[in-house]
Amino acid sequence: MNALHARYPFLSAARDAVREADVEIAAVVSGDGDRHPAVERGVERVRRALMDGTVRPPEDGRRWNTSAELLSYPVARLLVSLLDAPGAVEKYASAEADTAYETFTYDFEHQDDRTRETIDLDALLADFDLADAVERRREGFGVAVGTYLSLAADLRGDRWRLAGRRLGDGWVAITAAELHELLRESVKDRVAADLPLDVPEELAAGLADEVSELESSFTDADFSHDIDTLAPPLFPPCMKALVERARSDDALDDHSWFSLVAFLTGIGLDADEVLSFCAVESGSQADRVRYRVERVADDGDGQYAPPSCATMQAYGDCVDPDERCESITHPMAYYEDALADGGEVTDWREREA
């Protein structure tokens, strides 16, 4: 097991490393004494996936060794399979894929980094059996049309429609950035494959406390989830900053866009309202924002909660905390308290009507 396997636990080499290490997941789950680090990290992995849209560990001082990080992936798959939570599999797979996307796009740009082992595009394509379905071109890439249709099936926006693409001899022309997005879909499909698992009774019993802990964390959130007022002056400082950056056409990271979109949909905005409020014009950025809105909004699978304050801090998006921030743990809780203290409030949507 090495650090690359820990960062990409869904790769074939990572699965082989676990098998060669002769580690029995049953022993990890049902170990005597203290909870195994891989189980602890697996619980955190699922909680953050379903509540924060990421599986990265928070930057709170804890450090996980390579073995615990890698083994937390199969543990997390067991936990997700046992959870009675709306859309758990879909949200978990999306969070794993989004985190992988952040990781491999960083690796692609830092191939000369000698401080850590990185993965390159060819290796990732080969692992997903896509090497023969993707060809390099002088400008961008070509993808076999059948592969393109399969991977782009869940992507929203006119730019992904085959009718709007350059197509020739069975190949679809795409940019490098678009190929990376298709690879993210490949990761999501692989993670979701076979989920939910048919978990043996022995493993289910060994994880019963962890499943109860996760279900409790989803139901004990400290905000009401039924806020429907858009009052920007009362936003928490972190969200004010993200809105300002989005409106000024600053390049927000994916996790920052996720945080902002989850917050705005959490207070009742639809896709058109998010685009209008953030001053996002038509084009690829608008398509990406619409995709995020559709992903986090309540569509019968349950809505993503906006990321917690701990997550905002971990990603560096917690800025200019004020006195109210000292007593809350979630941006939505901040906003709910601010609305309660704000008296009569004018909704931004009514002002703009």
Side-chain angles (χ1 to χ4, degrees):
M1 301 182 189
N2 59 43
L4 190 67
H5 298 151
R7 297 207 313 278
Y8 299 100
F10 49 82
L11 292 180
S12 302
R15 295 196 301 269
D16 292 343
V18 173
R19 184 167 53 252
E20 291 169 4
D22 197 24
V23 176
E24 292 290 339
I25 295 299
V28 171
V29 168
S30 59
D32 296 330
D34 295 336
R35 186 159 66 179
H36 193 287
V39 176
E40 183 179 356
R41 172 69 177 111
V43 171
E44 179 188 74
R45 194 179 195 106
V46 174
R47 180 187 292 112
R48 296 206 71 200
L50 272 61
M51 298 190 73
D52 298 333
T54 181
V55 297
R56 290 193 185 282
E59 297 178 3
D60 57 3
R62 286 180 294 175
R63 291 293 180 267
W64 305 97
N65 62 40
T66 298
S67 175
E69 185 69 24
L70 176 54
L71 291 174
S72 73
Y73 176 71
V75 171
R77 287 171 59 83
L78 293 172
L79 290 169
V80 167
S81 298
L82 292 167
L83 272 177
D84 182 18
V89 168
E90 294 80 3
K91 292 176 182 178
Y92 171 71
S94 289
E96 287 279 4
D98 286 350
T99 304
Y101 173 84
E102 294 176 12
T103 305
F104 67 65
T105 52
Y106 178 90
D107 277 1
F108 294 166
E109 295 174 1
H110 296 82
Q111 288 296 298
D112 57 348
D113 186 352
R114 302 305 179 190
T115 64
R116 71 174 192 175
E117 187 178 357
T118 59
I119 196 168
D120 61 29
L121 176 60
D122 290 337
L124 197 57
L125 289 172
D127 197 84
F128 282 91
D129 296 325
L130 294 173
D132 293 335
V134 176
E135 64 176 18
R136 295 179 183 271
R137 296 180 174 179
R138 184 163 55 184
E139 294 184 3
F141 294 84
V143 179
V145 64
T147 299
Y148 177 87
L149 290 172
S150 175
L151 294 179
D154 292 334
L155 294 173
R156 307 300 183 203
D158 291 341
R159 70 190 179 105
W160 295 107
R161 297 178 187 275
L162 189 60
R165 312 295 310 195
R166 286 190 292 125
L167 177 64
D169 297 326
W171 293 85
V172 182
I174 63 171
T175 66
E178 289 170 338
L179 176 59
H180 299 165
E181 292 183 70
L182 294 179
L183 281 170
R184 177 175 57 194
E185 295 301 298
S186 294
V187 175
K188 184 174 70 174
D189 290 345
R190 177 174 288 185
V191 172
D194 302 323
L195 292 180
L197 302 169
D198 185 11
V199 182
E201 291 185 7
E202 176 189 0
L203 296 181
L207 291 171
D209 290 343
E210 286 73 20
V211 171
S212 295
E213 176 185 334
L214 284 168
E215 290 177 340
S216 177
S217 69
F218 301 145
T219 58
D220 292 344
D222 55 356
F223 52 91
S224 66
H225 296 274
D226 60 358
I227 302 170
D228 61 359
T229 301
L230 179 56
L234 301 181
F235 280 8
C238 57
M239 293 302 165
K240 288 181 179 178
L242 289 181
V243 170
E244 182 177 349
R245 290 176 59 192
R247 290 177 172 176
S248 64
D249 203 25
D250 193 359
L252 295 184
D253 292 328
D254 280 354
H255 60 78
S256 298
W257 266 117
F258 174 87
S259 300
L260 179 56
V261 168
F263 180 83
L264 294 176
T265 57
I267 60 178
L269 274 67
D270 61 24
D272 289 334
E273 290 169 334
V274 170
L275 291 172
S276 175
F277 181 69
C278 295
V280 178
E281 303 296 337
S282 60
S284 59
Q285 182 64 270
D287 288 338
R288 287 192 289 271
V289 172
R290 283 187 181 278
Y291 168 74
R292 291 186 176 96
V293 171
E294 291 171 357
R295 215 193 91 200
V296 304
D298 190 349
D299 58 1
D301 289 331
Q303 184 169 336
Y304 274 99
S308 63
C309 292
T311 298
M312 300 297 286
Q313 292 166 1
Y315 278 123
D317 285 337
C318 176
V319 297
D320 302 324
D322 58 20
E323 184 176 351
R324 192 186 301 276
C325 293
E326 298 175 3
S327 61
I328 58 95
T329 59
H330 202 286
M332 194 69 82
Y334 179 109
Y335 187 52
E336 187 174 52
D337 287 350
L339 285 172
D341 294 340
E344 187 174 350
V345 175
T346 299
D347 192 291
W348 181 86
R349 290 165 290 191
E350 294 177 3
R351 186 188 63 185
E352 293 293 311

